Tab-separated table of all heavy atoms in Angstrom:
chain	number	residue	atom	x	y	z
A	125	PRO	N	-37.469	-14.211	21.918
A	125	PRO	CA	-36.083	-14.419	22.461
A	125	PRO	C	-36.202	-15.158	23.785
A	125	PRO	O	-37.245	-14.925	24.582
A	125	PRO	CB	-35.686	-12.947	22.663
A	125	PRO	CG	-36.513	-12.193	21.778
A	125	PRO	CD	-37.817	-12.860	21.639
A	126	LEU	N	-35.249	-15.964	24.164
A	126	LEU	CA	-35.308	-16.782	25.371
A	126	LEU	C	-35.577	-15.843	26.526
A	126	LEU	O	-36.267	-16.293	27.457
A	126	LEU	CB	-34.053	-17.591	25.423
A	126	LEU	CG	-33.921	-18.609	26.647
A	126	LEU	CD1	-33.156	-19.856	26.204
A	126	LEU	CD2	-33.322	-17.986	27.821
A	127	ASN	N	-34.865	-14.786	26.681
A	127	ASN	CA	-34.976	-13.895	27.945
A	127	ASN	C	-36.302	-13.285	28.125
A	127	ASN	O	-36.581	-12.549	29.080
A	127	ASN	CB	-33.923	-12.878	27.870
A	127	ASN	CG	-33.868	-11.906	26.675
A	127	ASN	OD1	-34.917	-12.019	25.874
A	127	ASN	ND2	-32.932	-11.148	26.571
A	128	GLN	N	-37.204	-13.439	27.075
A	128	GLN	CA	-38.611	-12.942	27.240
A	128	GLN	C	-39.478	-14.038	27.829
A	128	GLN	O	-40.636	-13.749	28.319
A	128	GLN	CB	-39.197	-12.450	25.933
A	128	GLN	CG	-38.634	-11.124	25.414
A	128	GLN	CD	-39.294	-10.657	24.206
A	128	GLN	OE1	-40.407	-11.132	23.769
A	128	GLN	NE2	-38.728	-9.605	23.495
A	129	LEU	N	-39.037	-15.295	27.736
A	129	LEU	CA	-39.793	-16.379	28.318
A	129	LEU	C	-39.489	-16.771	29.648
A	129	LEU	O	-40.209	-17.416	30.469
A	129	LEU	CB	-39.792	-17.601	27.276
A	129	LEU	CG	-40.328	-17.349	25.937
A	129	LEU	CD1	-40.076	-18.568	25.001
A	129	LEU	CD2	-41.809	-17.007	25.843
A	130	GLY	N	-38.178	-16.631	29.950
A	130	GLY	CA	-37.576	-17.049	31.286
A	130	GLY	C	-36.621	-15.996	31.828
A	130	GLY	O	-36.048	-15.254	31.103
A	131	GLN	N	-36.383	-16.160	33.098
A	131	GLN	CA	-35.441	-15.271	33.807
A	131	GLN	C	-34.086	-15.953	33.844
A	131	GLN	O	-33.977	-17.138	34.376
A	131	GLN	CB	-35.833	-14.982	35.202
A	131	GLN	CG	-34.953	-14.049	35.945
A	131	GLN	CD	-35.403	-13.783	37.358
A	131	GLN	OE1	-36.585	-14.248	37.690
A	131	GLN	NE2	-34.648	-12.952	38.140
A	132	VAL	N	-33.096	-15.421	33.193
A	132	VAL	CA	-31.788	-15.980	33.009
A	132	VAL	C	-30.786	-15.503	34.096
A	132	VAL	O	-30.743	-14.220	34.301
A	132	VAL	CB	-31.195	-15.788	31.571
A	132	VAL	CG1	-29.818	-16.524	31.461
A	132	VAL	CG2	-32.163	-16.231	30.535
A	133	SER	N	-30.097	-16.305	34.778
A	133	SER	CA	-29.114	-15.851	35.799
A	133	SER	C	-27.920	-16.737	35.714
A	133	SER	O	-27.922	-17.927	35.216
A	133	SER	CB	-29.796	-15.917	37.152
A	133	SER	OG	-30.058	-17.221	37.537
A	134	MET	N	-26.781	-16.261	36.157
A	134	MET	CA	-25.568	-16.909	36.223
A	134	MET	C	-25.224	-17.427	37.608
A	134	MET	O	-25.055	-16.654	38.546
A	134	MET	CB	-24.357	-15.981	35.765
A	134	MET	CG	-23.181	-16.666	35.399
A	134	MET	SD	-23.157	-17.034	33.660
A	134	MET	CE	-21.608	-17.870	33.473
A	135	LYS	N	-25.232	-18.711	37.821
A	135	LYS	CA	-24.936	-19.387	39.178
A	135	LYS	C	-23.465	-19.522	39.319
A	135	LYS	O	-23.130	-19.403	40.498
A	135	LYS	CB	-25.748	-20.701	39.219
A	135	LYS	CG	-27.256	-20.603	39.307
A	135	LYS	CD	-27.615	-19.736	40.515
A	135	LYS	CE	-29.175	-19.609	40.619
A	135	LYS	NZ	-29.522	-18.729	41.766
A	136	SER	N	-22.789	-19.781	38.351
A	136	SER	CA	-21.258	-19.879	38.464
A	136	SER	C	-20.695	-19.742	37.027
A	136	SER	O	-21.489	-19.684	36.020
A	136	SER	CB	-20.936	-21.279	38.957
A	136	SER	OG	-21.216	-22.329	38.085
A	137	PRO	N	-19.450	-19.593	36.899
A	137	PRO	CA	-18.863	-19.444	35.578
A	137	PRO	C	-19.176	-20.614	34.691
A	137	PRO	O	-19.096	-20.465	33.454
A	137	PRO	CB	-17.341	-19.358	35.849
A	137	PRO	CG	-17.302	-18.840	37.252
A	137	PRO	CD	-18.443	-19.453	37.917
A	138	GLN	N	-19.550	-21.817	35.162
A	138	GLN	CA	-19.862	-22.891	34.409
A	138	GLN	C	-21.402	-23.331	34.407
A	138	GLN	O	-21.714	-24.296	33.877
A	138	GLN	CB	-19.055	-24.135	34.882
A	138	GLN	CG	-17.540	-24.047	34.619
A	138	GLN	CD	-16.820	-23.152	35.470
A	138	GLN	OE1	-17.087	-23.087	36.645
A	138	GLN	NE2	-15.884	-22.452	34.987
A	139	LEU	N	-22.174	-22.426	34.980
A	139	LEU	CA	-23.605	-22.821	34.989
A	139	LEU	C	-24.538	-21.600	34.934
A	139	LEU	O	-24.365	-20.605	35.605
A	139	LEU	CB	-23.911	-23.530	36.383
A	139	LEU	CG	-25.354	-23.943	36.574
A	139	LEU	CD1	-25.729	-24.988	35.503
A	139	LEU	CD2	-25.585	-24.514	37.966
A	140	ILE	N	-25.386	-21.669	33.891
A	140	ILE	CA	-26.483	-20.694	33.756
A	140	ILE	C	-27.890	-21.311	34.097
A	140	ILE	O	-28.030	-22.526	33.719
A	140	ILE	CB	-26.439	-20.115	32.358
A	140	ILE	CG1	-25.193	-19.308	32.021
A	140	ILE	CG2	-27.797	-19.178	32.133
A	140	ILE	CD1	-25.245	-18.704	30.631
A	141	VAL	N	-28.701	-20.646	34.810
A	141	VAL	CA	-29.967	-21.125	35.175
A	141	VAL	C	-31.105	-20.229	34.448
A	141	VAL	O	-31.032	-19.007	34.600
A	141	VAL	CB	-30.185	-21.122	36.687
A	141	VAL	CG1	-31.710	-21.564	37.086
A	141	VAL	CG2	-29.276	-22.082	37.343
A	142	VAL	N	-32.150	-21.013	33.937
A	142	VAL	CA	-33.258	-20.270	33.366
A	142	VAL	C	-34.516	-20.667	34.153
A	142	VAL	O	-34.811	-21.815	34.264
A	142	VAL	CB	-33.405	-20.696	31.915
A	142	VAL	CG1	-34.627	-19.870	31.257
A	142	VAL	CG2	-32.180	-20.482	31.113
A	143	ASN	N	-35.077	-19.688	34.797
A	143	ASN	CA	-36.291	-19.854	35.606
A	143	ASN	C	-37.474	-19.672	34.760
A	143	ASN	O	-37.759	-18.473	34.204
A	143	ASN	CB	-36.262	-18.863	36.806
A	143	ASN	CG	-37.390	-19.147	37.720
A	143	ASN	OD1	-38.452	-19.667	37.392
A	143	ASN	ND2	-37.071	-18.815	39.011
A	144	MET	N	-38.222	-20.731	34.549
A	144	MET	CA	-39.434	-20.689	33.606
A	144	MET	C	-40.728	-20.565	34.414
A	144	MET	O	-41.846	-20.826	33.857
A	144	MET	CB	-39.463	-21.927	32.801
A	144	MET	CG	-38.243	-22.100	31.899
A	144	MET	SD	-38.176	-20.783	30.631
A	144	MET	CE	-39.719	-20.996	29.747
A	145	THR	N	-40.768	-20.124	35.630
A	145	THR	CA	-41.944	-19.994	36.428
A	145	THR	C	-43.000	-19.109	35.758
A	145	THR	O	-44.164	-19.380	35.813
A	145	THR	CB	-41.581	-19.298	37.796
A	145	THR	OG1	-40.614	-20.118	38.390
A	145	THR	CG2	-42.851	-19.244	38.665
A	146	SER	N	-42.586	-18.096	35.024
A	146	SER	CA	-43.531	-17.136	34.362
A	146	SER	C	-44.130	-17.731	33.036
A	146	SER	O	-45.307	-17.314	32.662
A	146	SER	CB	-42.885	-15.834	34.047
A	146	SER	OG	-41.779	-16.018	33.088
A	147	SER	N	-43.528	-18.697	32.579
A	147	SER	CA	-43.937	-19.293	31.268
A	147	SER	C	-43.662	-20.713	31.224
A	147	SER	O	-42.792	-21.294	30.485
A	147	SER	CB	-43.337	-18.699	30.000
A	147	SER	OG	-43.520	-17.270	30.023
A	148	PRO	N	-44.220	-21.534	32.254
A	148	PRO	CA	-43.916	-23.046	32.289
A	148	PRO	C	-44.282	-23.817	31.091
A	148	PRO	O	-43.640	-24.807	30.702
A	148	PRO	CB	-44.801	-23.416	33.564
A	148	PRO	CG	-45.824	-22.483	33.689
A	148	PRO	CD	-45.283	-21.164	33.141
A	149	GLU	N	-45.333	-23.358	30.436
A	149	GLU	CA	-45.644	-24.053	29.164
A	149	GLU	C	-44.715	-24.067	28.056
A	149	GLU	O	-44.721	-24.825	27.134
A	149	GLU	CB	-47.134	-23.496	28.625
A	149	GLU	CG	-46.996	-22.092	28.026
A	149	GLU	CD	-46.872	-20.986	29.006
A	149	GLU	OE1	-46.965	-21.223	30.316
A	149	GLU	OE2	-46.735	-19.843	28.626
A	150	ALA	N	-43.688	-23.085	28.157
A	150	ALA	CA	-42.623	-22.896	27.153
A	150	ALA	C	-41.351	-23.653	27.514
A	150	ALA	O	-40.358	-23.547	26.779
A	150	ALA	CB	-42.387	-21.530	26.803
A	151	THR	N	-41.441	-24.404	28.571
A	151	THR	CA	-40.122	-25.078	29.056
A	151	THR	C	-39.598	-25.984	28.103
A	151	THR	O	-38.408	-26.063	27.782
A	151	THR	CB	-40.501	-25.856	30.468
A	151	THR	OG1	-40.927	-24.824	31.433
A	151	THR	CG2	-39.214	-26.492	30.951
A	152	VAL	N	-40.456	-26.835	27.491
A	152	VAL	CA	-40.038	-27.856	26.490
A	152	VAL	C	-39.517	-27.105	25.287
A	152	VAL	O	-38.372	-27.474	24.837
A	152	VAL	CB	-41.127	-28.685	26.094
A	152	VAL	CG1	-40.619	-29.671	24.975
A	152	VAL	CG2	-41.685	-29.520	27.263
A	153	ALA	N	-40.025	-26.055	24.813
A	153	ALA	CA	-39.550	-25.325	23.609
A	153	ALA	C	-38.243	-24.598	23.926
A	153	ALA	O	-37.310	-24.657	23.091
A	153	ALA	CB	-40.599	-24.305	23.271
A	154	VAL	N	-38.063	-24.134	25.080
A	154	VAL	CA	-36.822	-23.533	25.479
A	154	VAL	C	-35.705	-24.498	25.630
A	154	VAL	O	-34.629	-24.302	25.105
A	154	VAL	CB	-36.958	-22.728	26.830
A	154	VAL	CG1	-35.586	-22.301	27.352
A	154	VAL	CG2	-37.955	-21.511	26.676
A	155	THR	N	-35.972	-25.665	26.191
A	155	THR	CA	-35.048	-26.779	26.332
A	155	THR	C	-34.536	-27.108	24.952
A	155	THR	O	-33.310	-27.298	24.693
A	155	THR	CB	-35.571	-27.866	27.053
A	155	THR	OG1	-35.970	-27.474	28.399
A	155	THR	CG2	-34.550	-29.016	27.266
A	156	ARG	N	-35.468	-27.323	23.937
A	156	ARG	CA	-35.183	-27.757	22.645
A	156	ARG	C	-34.317	-26.733	21.953
A	156	ARG	O	-33.330	-27.049	21.262
A	156	ARG	CB	-36.396	-27.971	21.886
A	156	ARG	CG	-36.116	-28.488	20.412
A	156	ARG	CD	-37.396	-28.879	19.696
A	156	ARG	NE	-38.414	-27.867	19.624
A	156	ARG	CZ	-39.514	-27.827	20.283
A	156	ARG	NH1	-39.840	-28.772	21.184
A	156	ARG	NH2	-40.363	-26.817	20.179
A	157	ALA	N	-34.699	-25.425	22.154
A	157	ALA	CA	-33.858	-24.262	21.508
A	157	ALA	C	-32.505	-24.344	21.999
A	157	ALA	O	-31.466	-24.051	21.254
A	157	ALA	CB	-34.534	-22.994	21.691
A	158	LEU	N	-32.243	-24.542	23.314
A	158	LEU	CA	-30.951	-24.496	23.857
A	158	LEU	C	-30.107	-25.701	23.323
A	158	LEU	O	-28.910	-25.504	22.981
A	158	LEU	CB	-31.052	-24.623	25.431
A	158	LEU	CG	-31.558	-23.349	26.203
A	158	LEU	CD1	-31.955	-23.700	27.667
A	158	LEU	CD2	-30.559	-22.326	26.150
A	159	ARG	N	-30.695	-26.822	23.200
A	159	ARG	CA	-30.017	-28.068	22.808
A	159	ARG	C	-29.645	-27.891	21.294
A	159	ARG	O	-28.675	-28.497	20.853
A	159	ARG	CB	-30.890	-29.253	23.048
A	159	ARG	CG	-30.118	-30.545	22.765
A	159	ARG	CD	-30.956	-31.750	23.146
A	159	ARG	NE	-31.108	-31.916	24.617
A	159	ARG	CZ	-32.164	-31.704	25.338
A	159	ARG	NH1	-33.289	-31.443	24.686
A	159	ARG	NH2	-32.165	-31.867	26.606
A	160	GLU	N	-30.491	-27.206	20.471
A	160	GLU	CA	-30.238	-27.157	19.067
A	160	GLU	C	-29.360	-25.923	18.603
A	160	GLU	O	-29.065	-25.764	17.546
A	160	GLU	CB	-31.550	-27.037	18.310
A	160	GLU	CG	-32.372	-28.302	18.429
A	160	GLU	CD	-33.779	-28.269	17.716
A	160	GLU	OE1	-34.040	-27.052	17.279
A	160	GLU	OE2	-34.416	-29.264	17.663
A	161	SER	N	-28.963	-25.131	19.668
A	161	SER	CA	-28.180	-23.998	19.360
A	161	SER	C	-26.667	-24.418	18.869
A	161	SER	O	-26.325	-25.560	19.200
A	161	SER	CB	-28.124	-22.997	20.535
A	161	SER	OG	-27.293	-23.532	21.579
A	162	SER	N	-25.905	-23.526	18.416
A	162	SER	CA	-24.645	-23.797	18.000
A	162	SER	C	-23.655	-23.892	19.134
A	162	SER	O	-22.432	-24.182	19.017
A	162	SER	CB	-24.145	-22.768	17.013
A	162	SER	OG	-24.100	-21.501	17.602
A	163	MET	N	-24.019	-23.561	20.426
A	163	MET	CA	-23.257	-23.539	21.543
A	163	MET	C	-22.984	-24.933	22.199
A	163	MET	O	-22.218	-25.066	23.170
A	163	MET	CB	-23.836	-22.581	22.643
A	163	MET	CG	-23.914	-21.144	22.111
A	163	MET	SD	-24.672	-20.123	23.394
A	163	MET	CE	-23.450	-20.103	24.636
A	164	LYS	N	-23.604	-25.928	21.590
A	164	LYS	CA	-23.406	-27.348	22.056
A	164	LYS	C	-23.742	-27.424	23.493
A	164	LYS	O	-22.983	-27.969	24.363
A	164	LYS	CB	-22.002	-27.777	21.842
A	164	LYS	CG	-21.636	-27.923	20.386
A	164	LYS	CD	-20.235	-28.525	20.108
A	164	LYS	CE	-19.932	-28.624	18.712
A	164	LYS	NZ	-18.529	-29.219	18.427
A	165	LEU	N	-24.967	-27.018	23.859
A	165	LEU	CA	-25.477	-27.049	25.232
A	165	LEU	C	-26.260	-28.275	25.486
A	165	LEU	O	-26.864	-28.881	24.628
A	165	LEU	CB	-26.371	-25.827	25.517
A	165	LEU	CG	-25.734	-24.346	25.282
A	165	LEU	CD1	-26.725	-23.226	25.384
A	165	LEU	CD2	-24.559	-24.240	26.199
A	166	ASN	N	-26.243	-28.760	26.800
A	166	ASN	CA	-26.998	-29.898	27.171
A	166	ASN	C	-27.801	-29.522	28.395
A	166	ASN	O	-27.408	-29.885	29.589
A	166	ASN	CB	-25.992	-31.066	27.504
A	166	ASN	CG	-26.681	-32.386	27.793
A	166	ASN	OD1	-27.851	-32.550	27.358
A	166	ASN	ND2	-26.092	-33.200	28.525
A	167	PRO	N	-28.908	-28.829	28.231
A	167	PRO	CA	-29.723	-28.328	29.364
A	167	PRO	C	-30.339	-29.466	30.163
A	167	PRO	O	-30.673	-30.614	29.622
A	167	PRO	CB	-30.749	-27.531	28.751
A	167	PRO	CG	-30.893	-28.128	27.310
A	167	PRO	CD	-29.547	-28.502	26.937
A	168	GLU	N	-30.547	-29.203	31.453
A	168	GLU	CA	-31.158	-30.234	32.343
A	168	GLU	C	-32.374	-29.529	32.977
A	168	GLU	O	-32.248	-28.455	33.546
A	168	GLU	CB	-30.125	-30.701	33.450
A	168	GLU	CG	-28.971	-31.304	32.884
A	168	GLU	CD	-27.887	-31.553	34.014
A	168	GLU	OE1	-28.247	-31.252	35.169
A	168	GLU	OE2	-26.761	-32.057	33.715
Side-chain angles (χ1 to χ4, degrees):
L126 185 147
N127 57 4
Q128 288 187 11
L129 299 175
Q131 183 180 358
V132 183
S133 60
M134 195 89 181
K135 290 301 181 182
S136 72
Q138 287 77 38
L139 180 64
I140 292 179
V141 172
V142 182
N143 190 329
M144 297 297 300
T145 303
S146 60
S147 304
E149 71 283 356
T151 300
V152 175
V154 169
T155 304
R156 182 172 58 251
L158 289 168
R159 187 172 290 112
E160 294 177 353
S161 72
S162 63
M163 298 178 67
K164 295 185 177 181
L165 302 174
N166 188 22
E168 302 170 2

